[in-house]
Amino acid sequence: MAINTSGFGSYDIRGIYPESINQELAYRVGRVFPELFDAKKVVVGHDIRLSGPTLFDALTRGLTEAGCDVYDVGQCGTEMIYFAAGANNFDGGIMITASHNPKEYNGMKFVKKGVHPVSPKTGLLDIKAAVENENRDWSFKKATGSIYKIDILHDYIKRLLSYVDEKNLRPLKVVMNTGNGSAGPIINEIEKFLPFEFVKVYNNANGFFPNGVPNPLLQDARAETSRAVVESGANCGIAFDGDFDRCFLFDEKGGFIEGCYMVGFLAEAFLKKNRGEKIVYDPRATWNTIDIVESHGGTPIVCRSGHSYMKDVLRAENAIYGGEMASHHYFRDFYFCDSGMIPWLLILELLSKTDKKLSQIMGERIEKFPVSGEINTKVSGVDKVKEIMAKVEEIYGKRGEVSKIDGLSVEFSDWRFNLRGSQTEPYIRLNVESRGDKILMENKRDELLAIIRAQ
């Protein structure tokens, strides 16, 4: 097959199988990864996508032919690769996944020794350049490495459970929608150790995604979780994306909770146990998080969106927790990596300690800091994004406080917004929030959208 590197992006490799993600690409990645990162022991896994085993075979053939030993964890979620790499001090980890993309996609995420992410600045472009090298003798093989099957499930579940105190938990009813993704087997295992009653939706792992793409950021992907919560009388609902590195929260009325409120909720969970710690957040919707962190004696630290940026800042600041509006949550004691399992455990522990319903708890925060949620507008390309951003800055930048940590943020005394281009899709993304004034937020949202969509 012809080599195609169009799938190399800002955080990982991702594309349609077999056009841009195929066996030849996976094999070449395997051949070059050990030499680029001085890796002699690498852990590898794949999610439930149908092309996963085929890509796994090609990738591990490349790794072993480069003289590297492979530790195979089989079907798993992305965070299990992070855990395995950190707990066993492996030289790297590769997860075969396309996360929340449609079923025809696949890809790879990478970490190197110390569970440091591989981004364009830390080696992803080096991988790209190496696999594109047609002058290389790809037939030359070093001494062949070995493949070892390893079972990390017990230790991984034990680590997850260490984040909560079982004595604090009460028998809540919780809807768990795994979207036919990789989370189902983990939910089946972890429920053995918890007092919760799980109402399972689409819990069987199925790479055909017979019930739609597991991406609860999409409006259409939320209906089943909402309906199941209401019909079962559950205390809340949790939904996962395909490789479960993100989870999404629904209240007892079936209402979807925006990610920025989850960040504040989890920051509170950590600061109640660890006053004075640092919390990292992204600049899309910030005021709720800052308010909670400061009121609980913590230090809020803003960081550009994106897992490699967040992980770098968490390490540099030794922050206990970091969260993004897009529902990626990062934990110091989880190798500074993101997890989709730890957040809901902490949330259910907090919920177990109060008589308030989740809609009440979140309603208070939503009323105090109403947000628009992320609103996407399709654009023709990068140049159009720049044009729109310049126009918006021209109108608002002279009157408000401007920040360009991630896209364009402009802050006023009673409202603020963030506007940024997508790293992976032809969209410009808008978030607006206010201090206790929903009508103001909505008016400013509509005002900005009119400018954006007139371009």
Side-chain angles (χ1 to χ4, degrees):
M1 292 184 180
I3 195 71
N4 182 338
T5 57
S6 62
F8 279 78
S10 299
Y11 313 121
D12 54 23
I13 306 174
R14 202 177 300 186
I16 294 175
Y17 176 88
E19 285 85 352
S20 57
I21 303 294
N22 53 44
Q23 291 95 312
E24 179 64 21
L25 176 65
Y27 171 75
R28 291 193 184 190
V29 168
R31 283 295 300 272
V32 304
F33 188 91
E35 64 187 58
L36 289 174
F37 303 106
D38 191 26
K40 298 175 177 61
K41 296 180 178 181
V42 173
V43 60
V44 181
H46 61 85
D47 67 14
I48 42 65
R49 292 169 190 274
L50 303 180
S51 57
T54 300
L55 292 173
F56 174 89
D57 290 343
L59 174 67
T60 56
R61 182 166 60 89
L63 288 166
T64 54
E65 288 182 5
C68 184
D69 287 337
V70 171
Y71 292 80
D72 170 19
V73 299
Q75 180 183 298
C76 64
T78 296
E79 67 189 65
M80 295 174 73
I81 293 296
Y82 301 153
F83 172 76
N88 296 284
N89 198 29
F90 289 138
D91 301 320
I94 304 176
M95 176 65 182
I96 299 169
T97 181
S99 187
H100 57 274
N101 284 80
K103 63 183 179 181
E104 62 269 21
Y105 282 74
N106 216 325
M108 285 174 273
K109 297 179 180 179
F110 308 93
V111 291
K112 52 188 177 180
K113 192 171 181 63
V115 207
H116 288 268
V118 177
S119 67
K121 289 184 178 180
T122 60
L124 192 59
L125 294 181
D126 296 326
I127 296 175
K128 182 176 183 287
V131 301
E132 288 173 334
N133 183 5
E134 295 299 342
N135 294 321
R136 182 186 182 115
D137 182 4
W138 293 101
S139 65
F140 174 76
K141 301 176 180 61
K142 289 185 177 181
T144 302
S146 300
I147 299 178
Y148 303 95
K149 284 284 293 183
I150 60 170
D151 185 355
I152 65 167
L153 185 59
H154 173 79
D155 291 340
Y156 165 67
I157 295 292
K158 186 177 178 181
R159 173 62 67 88
L160 295 180
L161 293 172
S162 72
Y163 280 85
V164 295
D165 186 343
E166 189 178 349
K167 298 191 298 293
N168 293 330
L169 306 180
R170 59 186 176 91
L172 302 172
K173 181 184 283 190
V174 184
V175 166
M176 286 287 181
N177 186 348
T178 62
N180 301 120
S182 298
I186 306 306
I187 295 303
N188 292 341
E189 183 65 22
I190 201 169
E191 75 173 329
K192 300 173 185 176
F193 305 95
L194 296 168
F196 310 129
E197 177 187 348
F198 288 160
V199 178
K200 298 174 185 177
V201 178
Y202 305 146
N203 197 61
N204 59 311
N206 188 333
F208 286 104
F209 294 153
N211 297 290
V213 180
N215 180 14
L217 278 181
L218 302 176
Q219 292 279 354
D220 293 346
R222 299 175 187 173
E224 287 300 325
T225 307
S226 296
R227 181 161 45 249
V229 169
V230 173
E231 290 179 353
S232 67
N235 297 95
C236 66
I238 310 292
F240 299 88
D241 66 0
D243 63 337
F244 69 83
D245 61 352
R246 294 183 299 165
C247 70
F248 302 82
L249 183 63
F250 296 74
D251 65 27
E252 82 285 350
K253 297 178 181 179
F256 179 78
I257 306 296
E258 292 289 348
C260 59
Y261 299 117
M262 277 189 70
V263 175
F265 205 21
L266 291 169
E268 179 180 344
F270 277 104
L271 291 171
K272 280 184 173 179
K273 297 178 181 179
N274 307 273
R275 190 173 179 84
E277 289 279 5
K278 297 175 181 178
I279 304 293
V280 179
Y281 63 97
D282 77 288
R284 281 174 278 190
T286 66
W287 280 348
N288 178 66
T289 300
I290 293 170
D291 181 70
I292 288 175
V293 172
E294 291 182 342
S295 67
H296 286 82
T299 302
I301 298 171
V302 68
C303 171
R304 180 178 174 179
S305 304
H307 82 98
S308 60
Y309 304 111
M310 294 290 291
K311 291 171 183 176
D312 285 347
V313 171
L314 250 76
R315 287 178 187 273
E317 298 288 347
N318 196 35
I320 195 169
Y321 161 72
E324 293 183 83
M325 184 177 176
S327 292
H328 282 284
H329 302 279
Y330 307 84
F331 305 91
R332 182 172 67 199
D333 293 336
F334 198 70
Y335 311 104
F336 296 97
C337 288
D338 41 332
S339 166
M341 288 290 166
I342 296 169
W344 64 263
L345 285 165
L346 291 167
I347 286 166
L348 294 185
E349 183 180 40
L350 279 175
L351 206 54
S352 294
K353 293 178 180 179
T354 179
D355 292 330
K356 289 183 178 180
K357 295 181 178 180
L358 187 56
S359 62
Q360 291 176 277
I361 298 170
M362 291 301 182
E364 293 167 3
R365 304 310 306 180
I366 292 168
E367 184 177 354
K368 192 170 185 179
F369 299 103
V371 301
S372 64
E374 191 152 85
I375 303 168
N376 296 316
T377 300
K378 196 164 187 176
V379 293
S380 57
V382 174
D383 289 341
K384 178 57 71 173
V385 169
K386 291 179 180 178
E387 179 186 324
I388 293 170
M389 300 271 275
K391 182 66 175 178
V392 170
E393 184 177 2
E394 180 186 344
I395 296 171
Y396 294 94
K398 294 177 183 177
R399 293 182 282 135
E401 183 179 336
V402 174
S403 169
K404 295 185 179 180
I405 290 174
D406 192 354
L408 172 69
S409 295
V410 183
E411 186 167 314
F412 304 87
S413 60
D414 50 358
W415 74 284
R416 69 177 293 279
F417 72 88
N418 173 263
L419 187 65
R420 58 193 289 272
S422 168
Q423 294 292 318
T424 57
E425 300 171 290
Y427 287 98
I428 191 165
R429 309 191 191 281
L430 173 68
N431 285 278
V432 185
E433 60 184 324
S434 73
R435 297 189 189 277
D437 191 336
K438 185 179 180 182
I439 293 175
L440 174 65
M441 180 274 293
E442 290 173 341
N443 287 340
K444 293 300 181 181
R445 174 200 65 195
D446 295 344
E447 183 181 291
L448 279 157
L449 285 174
I451 296 167
I452 292 165
R453 292 173 178 175
Q455 301 304 309

